[in-house]
Structures are given as structure tokens and as C-alpha cells.
Amino acid sequence: MQNKKALLRQKLSLSSTQTIALVFATIILLGALLLSLPAASRDGTSAGFLPALFTATSATCVTGLVMFDTWLQWSGFGQVIIIILIELGGLGFMTAASFVIFVLRRRVGLKQKMVMAQVFSVNDMAGVVRLQKLVILGSLLIQLTGALILTAYFWPQCGPWQAIRWGAFHAVSAFCNAGFDIFGSLQPGSSLMCFQSDPVVLLTLSALIIVGGLGFFVWEEVIRIRRWKKLSVYTKLVLLMTGSLLIGGTVVICLLEWNNPQTMGQMPWYDKIMNGFFQATTSRTAGFDAIGQGALTDGSKALTMVMMFIGGSSGSTAGGVKTVTMMVLLLFVWSRIRRKGSVCIFKRAVPDNQVLDAMTVTSIVMGLAIFGGLFVTATSPVGFTDALFESISALSTTGLTTGVTTSLSVPAQVLMILYMYFGRVGVLTLSFGFLMGNQAQERFRYAHTNLLIG
């Protein structure tokens, strides 16, 4: 009898991946219901369930794609709901749950540790509780610092209440790489275009975006070790790839947009460099727009799509296929060109199964992105380039748009909702499955065959 009960409990219990997917879906649904209330809209009229679901998904999955200007559509109550969803989605629901556990001094069980490890994309549960504590304290401190800087800056211009509101909202949105803004009272739907020449706003938000996108594991190791030679190979790769994308992205964006009169052409040279840097920063899943994505040259749109596709680092608030995943693929290509049998970096060899995992994740996301672009352009009055841009933005949970979000048909909106959810939950659980799973044992093997490649 006891064995039957134990078997039943095992069947009814959810795996950590199922738990994450279910809780994220529950948070999104609850947020959609709250945002569909008349009190959540500024005019007192319900926005409707589908727009509310789209916004709740975008906020919880820290994407930033919106059907309406956040300031004009949502009341103070609605904006509070959105920022709570962003915080829960950015830091992970386990952060909130474990925060309550720590406050009540409850013991963290094995199942809770497994879910925490999955949320932070680590396969070692030994230090996951310490990492969780660092995430809670570090996240609150960083967001508070950013909020204080922005509040102090806005205070003389718009008064204390508006300054606090702007400072707190955008510090959380930037750190969580969400890209939501409430600057619609200045210029509706313009995101950060009013601050193109404002280094305090752009650089403060850039710093929050970069720190949020590095990954909680990288934070913990950098703070604990503090010496480059002793850092793990993973942390070194994250820092190198992040620096390369920021510097390289800034240079290429400046070259492509330097004389574009619709974006940076009319700016002084120092503003061009600053906006080029901000574009390279925000395109890695943050979603703030300071120069107008719809007016970018085709080359800049292509580069932005690549940057969105790569995204941030594992265990961070960012999305995308992740920096180290792309680095592993580049190292694999380089090793094959040199006719090497294995992928090596910093005198360490990368296991073949991890190279295959990186190829699998990248292939799945790339295939979905192309399908999404074709689907959007087939069902909505949107060209393929802009449709592909929108599809990658949703999948990578970036939130940048060329201005076509409001033109999407209902089927395209539903697909973008699914893509945002998959981009935040699906890639996470898929990657964790690679980390924690064992390779299936093959009972037999077929004879080899040779094919013509290339």
C-alpha cells in the first residue's frame, strides 16, 4: 500500500522544468487578468484580454514588445502590475520564493535547490543557496543604486514624485533587460528618443543592462575570486564575449549609421558614439530604443538581429541563445577549419556533447525565428525583414521593434506570445535538460555511411 502511494506521489509530482513552465504560465495568466481590469487602464475601460495577455507575457518574459504606449494605456495600478511582472520574470519566481524562505528561516529542500539551479542555469547544487542569497542582495542593491541615480537626476526637472516613479520603474526595467518605459508623457511611443543626448540616462541604463545580462553565476565568481587567472573558463568566455559584442557592435553601428539623417546623422560625434554604444547594449535583449529601429539601414537591422539572437549570458535576466553558446559554435567552426579534433579554449577542451547541445539550441531558435518571420509576413501587412526582426525580438526576449507590433494580426500576436514564452522558459528548460540529463543508451548502432558535405 505504501509503495502504491509513493508511486502515485511520484507520478503526480512535477519535474523542475515542469514547475518553472507552470509557474511562469500562472504568473502570466494572473497578470493578464489583472491588466484586463478596467482599473488597470488609464481611461477606465478594459484593454481586452488578448492585449492584456500580450503585455503580461512581454513583462513576465522581460521582452518589452507592447501593443500600446505603457504610459498612455496603463494607469498607475497597471504600471505597478507590469513592474512586478518584470521583477518576477527577470529574477525568477524562485528568487521571491526563496526570499520568503530566508526571511522565515525555513530549510531549503532538495527539490527547491534543483529548481533554483535550473533558474540560474547551473548544474552544481552545492552552492546554489549561497548564489541565491547573492542574487537577492545584489539585485536589490544594484537596482536601488540605479533608481537613486535616475531619481536624483530627474528630481530638479519634474519634481519628487515623478522622479521617483521614473527612476524606480526604469532601473528595474533596465536591470531585468525588459525594455518597458513610461516616458510616454514626453513623447508617446518614442521610448528613449527624448534622451539621445543625455549621457546620465543612457549610460546609467546601459550599466544596469550590462550587469543584469552578465549572469548571476558570473557575479558570484567575480566577487569571490577577483583574479582573472583564477576565474573559470565559463566566466572568462562570458566577459570576453560580452566585451567583444559591446565594442564591436558600437563600432559597426557607428559606421553604418554615422551619416544616416534619420537616426544619428544630425548628432555631434560624441552623441553618435554614445548612441552607437547604447544600441549595441540594448540590442542584446534590453529593448530600449534611442535612435528608432524602423529608420535603421538594412545593415544595422541585420546586425541588430544578430545581436538579439545571441543575447546575454546564461543564468541572467537576458534572453537569446546566450553568449557562451555562440562562442562555442565559433570555436567549433574555427577548430574544424584548422582540422582539429576537439574544441579548445584556455588550455581546456570542450566536451563534444556540449558542442552538439550548442548546435541544437541554436538550430532550434534559428528555425523558429525564420518560421516566425514567414508567418508574420504572411498574416500581417509587414515586410519580411521587419517580420523577421519582430520574430527574433520575441524569441530572444529583446523587445526592439521596427514599429510593426501594432500592425500584427491576431494569429501573429498569438505566435509572438508563444515565442516570448518559449524564449524565456523554453530555452531555459531546454538548456537545463542538456546540463542535467544523461545521454540515452543506444542498444544498437547502424553501420556508418559517408556523405558529401559542402
Side-chain angles (χ1 to χ4, degrees):
M1 187 66 178
Q2 291 181 349
N3 291 336
K4 289 183 178 180
K5 289 183 178 180
L7 183 61
L8 180 61
R9 284 197 300 268
Q10 185 177 2
K11 288 182 178 180
L12 293 176
S13 64
L14 296 175
S15 67
S16 55
T17 55
Q18 291 171 329
T19 301
I20 288 177
L22 181 60
V23 172
F24 261 87
T26 303
I27 292 172
I28 291 171
L29 181 59
L30 180 59
L33 292 174
L34 291 173
L35 289 176
S36 62
L37 295 174
S41 296
R42 186 172 292 277
D43 61 2
T45 303
S46 174
F49 182 72
L50 183 59
L53 179 63
F54 191 98
T55 304
T57 305
S58 183
T60 307
C61 299
V62 291
T63 305
L65 289 175
V66 292
M67 301 300 298
F68 317 102
D69 180 87
T70 304
W71 172 264
L72 293 182
Q73 173 62 37
W74 306 110
S75 64
F77 171 72
Q79 292 171 26
V80 169
I81 296 301
I82 288 172
I83 206 65
I84 291 174
L85 294 176
I86 290 172
E87 193 77 84
L88 289 174
L91 302 185
F93 68 90
M94 278 308 299
T95 299
S98 59
F99 179 76
V100 175
I101 292 173
F102 295 147
V103 170
L104 298 178
R105 297 184 179 180
R106 299 286 180 86
R107 184 182 177 188
V108 182
L110 178 61
K111 186 173 182 179
Q112 286 75 24
K113 288 183 179 181
M114 289 181 65
V115 180
M116 287 183 192
Q118 181 165 353
V119 170
F120 298 125
S121 300
V122 297
N123 57 356
D124 181 10
M125 292 185 292
V128 73
V129 176
R130 184 185 71 251
L131 178 59
Q132 178 69 82
K133 291 179 179 179
L134 176 67
V135 168
I136 293 174
L137 296 176
S139 299
L140 293 177
L141 180 60
I142 293 168
Q143 291 177 85
L144 179 60
T145 302
L148 290 175
I149 293 172
L150 293 173
T151 298
Y153 180 70
F154 290 131
W155 194 303
Q157 306 172 37
C158 55
W161 170 240
Q162 188 75 296
I164 293 172
R165 193 175 187 175
W166 280 359
F169 188 98
H170 297 102
V172 173
S173 184
F175 177 78
C176 293
N177 281 212
F180 278 79
D181 73 272
I182 52 173
F183 291 127
S185 58
L186 300 176
Q187 187 177 341
S190 64
S191 191
L192 299 184
M193 292 185 193
C194 296
F195 301 97
Q196 290 179 340
S197 301
D198 197 321
V200 175
V201 174
L202 293 189
L203 296 182
T204 299
L205 294 180
S206 294
L208 290 168
I209 292 166
I210 293 169
V211 173
L214 282 176
F216 305 118
F217 177 78
V218 175
W219 291 8
E220 192 269 346
E221 190 169 294
V222 169
I223 292 172
R224 177 170 50 87
I225 297 177
R226 302 182 184 179
R227 294 184 62 183
W228 174 261
K229 291 184 179 180
K230 293 187 176 182
L231 294 175
S232 68
V233 173
Y234 171 77
T235 298
K236 289 179 180 179
L237 288 178
V238 168
L239 296 176
L240 283 175
M241 192 67 172
T242 299
S244 299
L245 289 172
L246 290 174
I247 295 172
T250 301
V251 171
V252 177
I253 287 293
C254 286
L255 289 175
L256 293 172
E257 299 297 320
W258 195 268
N259 295 316
N260 184 353
Q262 294 180 296
T263 55
M264 293 162 46
Q266 306 300 322
M267 299 179 185
W269 65 269
Y270 44 85
D271 281 349
K272 292 180 180 181
I273 295 175
M274 180 175 65
N275 280 271
F277 174 75
F278 188 79
Q279 176 69 12
T281 302
T282 192
S283 61
R284 296 182 55 246
T285 82
F288 291 111
D289 187 1
I291 58 177
Q293 306 303 299
L296 293 174
T297 62
D298 290 341
S300 293
K301 286 183 180 179
L303 176 64
T304 301
M305 284 189 274
V306 171
M307 299 280 280
M308 291 193 298
F309 185 84
I310 297 173
S313 302
S314 299
S316 72
T317 58
V321 298
K322 304 299 185 295
T323 52
V324 172
T325 301
M326 187 56 59
M327 178 65 84
V328 169
L329 289 180
L330 294 175
L331 291 172
F332 171 73
V333 172
W334 177 242
S335 68
R336 297 304 297 168
I337 291 174
R338 299 172 63 200
R339 310 298 296 175
K340 298 290 184 180
S342 61
V343 176
C344 299
I345 184 69
F346 295 122
K347 298 182 180 180
R348 295 289 189 274
V350 180
D352 291 342
N353 65 304
Q354 290 195 342
V355 176
L356 293 176
D357 293 344
M359 295 174 65
T360 302
V361 171
T362 304
S363 299
I364 291 173
V365 176
M366 185 177 295
L368 288 173
I370 295 173
F371 172 80
L374 292 171
F375 186 87
V376 170
T377 197
T379 59
S380 307
V382 178
F384 178 71
T385 300
D386 291 341
L388 182 62
F389 194 104
E390 196 84 0
S391 175
I392 294 175
S393 181
L395 268 175
S396 63
T397 68
T398 302
L400 288 176
T401 178
T402 56
V404 303
T405 307
T406 55
S407 302
L408 298 179
S409 64
V410 171
Q413 291 178 35
V414 172
L415 182 65
M416 293 303 100
I417 290 172
L418 295 175
Y419 272 19
M420 288 187 285
Y421 180 76
F422 178 82
R424 186 60 182 158
V425 178
V427 174
L428 176 72
T429 54
L430 183 63
S431 300
F432 186 78
F434 291 146
L435 286 171
M436 300 297 289
N438 295 319
Q439 289 184 325
Q441 297 294 326
E442 297 179 358
R443 297 185 179 181
F444 61 90
R445 294 177 180 271
Y446 290 107
H448 287 188
T449 186
N450 292 320
L451 302 175
L452 296 177
I453 305 298

